[in-house]
Amino acid sequence: MEPQDNNPSQTGVTRPGGHSARPAAGSADVPRRPWVVGVSGASGTPYAASVVRGLLAAGEAVDLIVSRASRLTLLDETGISFRDAHWRADLREWLARGADGKPGTFDVTEADLDRVRYWPAGDLAAGPSSGSYPVKGMLIVPASTACVAGVALGLSKDLLQRVASVTLKERRRLVAAVRETPLNGQTLRHLVTLDEAGAVVLPASPAFYAGATHIQDLVDFVAGRVLDAAGVPHRLYRRWVGELGSGSKEEN
């Protein structure tokens, strides 16, 4: 996917005057092992879009689950109506949109979409609902408090929660990017439960030392930390190098 501006924050994407860092596509002989990205109903759909773009830019396959509640959030935050029957076109529009709401900020190719498999949230017989379905792990971005509670209590009320439970029982990587403030005691206890079960609890809290100059930079910082927790390489933000003021310096 190729942004149409000069913002260097999106990893593996060819920008004007830049270069592509996207690894070559894997061999057809290599079994598909995607990352599952679950999008719950919390505010923060630009975080999800940035994570998916980052995964695709790193050459990863993606299995996508968009909860019913998140469709309302996506509609409110972007104006995009996400439909099961037209998920490919709707996903393309979503991934192409910048965090500032500007459409067409990123170029999303057919090859990118070919590496995404979409599962409806109500399909409890979907591939990722079983531990025998090969995946690398799951990233819940953003994770609402209702989603956190459902996963912590093992409710499996929809596919997103079921896959999260499967991820934990199979001892795979689960990252929950919690997007809520303030947090009450009940939610904090649920988050501790997830931590004790082996999940990475990652609050969607952008940092400012990386020299952010645009809302996309703040979104990409959180998305980058999610990918860090998953062990997926990226260049979504400037890393701390132990030098004060380094984030405000122009890149060479």
Side-chain angles (χ1 to χ4, degrees), residues 153-221:
L153 297 173
L155 298 182
S156 296
K157 75 176 185 66
D158 62 9
L159 182 61
L160 194 158
Q161 291 185 17
R162 169 61 185 168
V163 176
S165 294
V166 169
T167 302
L168 290 176
K169 81 178 181 68
E170 296 293 329
R171 301 297 190 265
R172 295 167 181 159
R173 176 67 74 182
L174 174 65
V175 181
V178 186
R179 219 307 306 159
E180 186 59 87
T181 190
L183 298 173
N184 61 28
Q186 186 176 45
T187 297
L188 290 170
R189 285 187 285 273
H190 289 152
L191 292 174
V192 170
T193 297
L194 290 184
D195 177 76
E196 292 175 342
V200 175
V201 176
L202 195 152
S205 302
F208 298 87
Y209 62 78
T213 59
H214 190 276
I215 188 174
Q216 189 68 55
D217 298 325
L218 299 176
V219 167
D220 286 347
F221 180 89

Side-chain angles (χ1 to χ4, degrees), residues 10-15 18-24 56-59 233-235:
Q10 192 69 44
T11 185
V13 176
T14 304
R15 297 177 182 273
H19 65 280
S20 174
R22 178 180 297 152
L56 295 177
H234 67 87
R235 293 187 303 171

Side-chain angles (χ1 to χ4, degrees), residues 6-8 209-213 217 238 241 243-252:
N6 292 314
N7 183 344
Y209 62 78
T213 59
D217 298 325
R238 294 186 181 97
V241 295
E243 180 183 351
L244 290 176
S246 60
S248 61
K249 295 180 180 179
E250 293 291 332
E251 289 187 335
N252 294 326

